[in-house]
Amino acid sequence: MKQQDFEQQHDAFWSRFEALLAELDGQRPVAQIKAPMGYGAFPQAYRQVCHHLALARERQYASYLIARLERLVLDGHQHLYRARGVFGSQLLQFVVTDFPALVRAEARLFWLAAALLYLPALLMGLALQYAPHLIYTLLDHTMLASIESMYDPNVAHVGRARQSDGDFLMFGYYIKNNIGIGFQTFAGGLLYGLGSVFYLVYNGLFMGGVAGHLTRIGSGATFYPFVVGHGAFELTAIVLSGAAGLKLGLALLAPGNQTRLAALRAAAQVSIRLVYGVVGMLLIAAFIEAFWSSSQALLPAVKYSVGALLWLGVSAYLVFSGRGRAA
C-alpha cells in the first residue's frame, strides 16, 4: 500500500486517538473530531496504533509519519500503564454508558433473541397444562423428581438439590452454571447463528417445561418467588448472549461487501463487548440466587416486590442509562 493511501485510510482513526489521549491528559477534547472514542475502546485502539507503527517502519514510510505514530504509541503506553484509576474510569463508563448504549444499538437482535427464548417457554408452559406427558420429552424421571424436590415448600432452601447447604458453595455453582449457558448461547453463533438459535429455543423450552410442570402440580407458590428476583439479570443476560451470538452468525451469513472473515471480526468487536456486560449480569444473578432467592425466611410478597423492582431497574437501565448530554 502506498503511504498516501495508508494515511488516508487511517488518519481519521489517528485523530480520534489523539483526541482521546488529550482528554485523558485533562485537556478539552477537539471539537471538530467526529465520533470520538470512548474510554472503553482505548486498549484496542492502542494495539491498532502499535500495528500501524510496525507497518510504517516495515514499509519505510516517511519519517514524519513514523514520528507521529511513535508519539501516539508512547503516549498511549504511558496512559495504558499509569495508575489504576484509568481502568476504573473505563469500567465505570462502560457500565453506565457504553454497555446500555450498545444494547440499544443492537435492539433488533435483542428482541429476536428474546422471542426465541420466551415464546417457546410460553408455549411449552401452556401445553403442559393440557398434555402433562410432554414434560418427559425434556426430562427423565430422575431429573424430574430432583426438580420437584428442589421446590418442595417444606425445604429450608428452595432451588437446591444438593448435599451442601453453604450459600458460598452455591454461589460458585450458580456462577459456573450461568456462565456456561451464556457462553454456549454466544459461541453457538459461530455455526452461522444456528447454535445460538438452538440454545435459546432449548433453554426456553426447558424453562417453560419446568415452570409449567411445577405450576400444574401445585409448586408454583414456591417456584415463582424463587426465580422472580435473579431472573431479571439471568434471563436478560441469556437473551443478550443470544443476541451477541446471532450477530456473529449474521456476519457469516450476510457479510456484505466484506469477506466473511472481515465481517466476523467486525461483528466480534461488538459481540465481545456485549458479553462483557453479560458476565457482569450473570455474576449479579448468581449472588441474588444464592443469598436471596433460596431463602424460605422471606415472605413471597417481599420476593415478588423486590423482583418487580429489579425487573423495572434492569429495564430502565438498558433503556435510559447513557442517554443525553450528561452521558
Side-chain angles (χ1 to χ4, degrees):
M1 181 183 293
K2 294 182 179 180
Q3 177 178 326
Q4 183 179 2
D5 296 334
F6 184 76
E7 289 187 78
Q8 288 178 350
Q9 181 176 349
H10 301 296
D11 184 70
F13 171 78
W14 299 332
S15 297
R16 292 198 303 272
F17 189 67
E18 287 173 332
L20 178 59
L21 291 174
E23 189 172 352
L24 290 172
D25 283 327
Q27 303 174 20
R28 292 185 178 181
V30 181
Q32 64 268 26
I33 296 297
K34 296 181 179 179
M37 287 183 183
Y39 293 130
F42 177 78
Q44 182 179 352
Y46 171 72
R47 290 193 296 269
Q48 189 66 30
V49 172
C50 291
H51 176 64
H52 292 164
L53 175 59
L55 289 177
R57 286 173 173 171
E58 181 183 356
R59 297 170 182 173
Q60 298 181 349
Y61 288 154
S63 58
Y64 75 87
L65 176 59
I66 295 177
R68 180 187 183 187
L69 294 175
E70 286 177 341
R71 178 176 53 80
L72 291 178
V73 169
L74 180 59
D75 291 347
H77 182 274
Q78 292 175 349
H79 284 289
L80 189 63
Y81 295 101
R82 70 162 42 172
R84 295 179 181 178
V86 174
F87 173 76
S89 65
Q90 294 174 357
L91 180 61
L92 180 62
Q93 174 161 331
F94 177 77
V95 172
V96 175
T97 303
D98 295 347
F99 178 64
L102 192 61
V103 173
R104 292 192 294 270
E106 302 297 333
R108 292 183 179 180
L109 290 178
F110 175 87
W111 290 115
L112 175 59
L116 291 171
L117 180 70
Y118 290 121
L119 286 180
L122 178 62
L123 293 176
M124 177 58 75
L126 291 175
L128 285 175
Q129 309 311 308
Y130 302 97
H133 63 278
L134 288 177
I135 190 63
Y136 296 106
T137 62
L138 297 172
L139 304 169
D140 57 27
H141 289 276
T142 302
M143 185 175 292
L144 190 61
S146 175
I147 290 176
E148 291 175 355
S149 67
M150 289 165 61
Y151 299 100
D152 185 342
N154 297 318
V155 299
H157 291 80
V158 297
R160 302 182 180 185
R162 57 178 181 155
Q163 289 74 36
S164 173
D165 291 327
D167 289 338
F168 281 101
L169 292 177
M170 290 310 298
F171 177 50
Y173 170 79
Y174 291 141
I175 290 176
K176 177 182 178 182
N177 182 68
N178 293 348
I179 291 181
I181 294 174
F183 179 78
Q184 285 179 333
T185 308
F186 163 64
L190 293 174
L191 298 176
Y192 291 87
L194 295 177
S196 296
V197 171
F198 170 79
Y199 283 114
L200 285 169
V201 172
Y202 172 77
N203 282 297
L205 291 172
F206 184 87
M207 179 174 63
V210 170
H213 177 74
L214 293 175
T215 300
R216 190 184 62 82
I217 66 174
S219 295
T222 307
F223 173 73
Y224 292 110
F226 172 77
V227 300
V228 68
H230 62 270
F233 292 94
E234 182 176 329
L235 297 181
T236 304
I238 292 175
V239 170
L240 288 170
S241 297
L246 291 173
K247 188 167 186 67
L248 297 180
L250 185 62
L252 292 173
L253 289 172
N257 296 327
Q258 299 176 299
T259 64
R260 280 189 167 83
L261 181 58
L264 182 61
R265 286 176 176 172
Q269 292 178 0
V270 176
S271 295
I272 288 296
R273 299 184 71 204
L274 283 174
V275 171
Y276 292 159
V278 165
V279 171
M281 297 184 76
L282 290 177
L283 290 176
I284 296 173
F287 181 85
I288 296 173
E289 189 171 2
F291 297 100
W292 170 271
S293 300
S294 61
S295 176
Q296 286 285 68
L298 299 168
L299 295 176
V302 175
K303 289 188 175 181
Y304 283 129
S305 299
V306 173
L309 289 175
L310 290 175
W311 275 102
L312 288 173
V314 170
S315 301
Y317 165 67
L318 295 179
V319 172
F320 299 111
S321 185
R323 293 183 183 271
R325 183 174 301 177

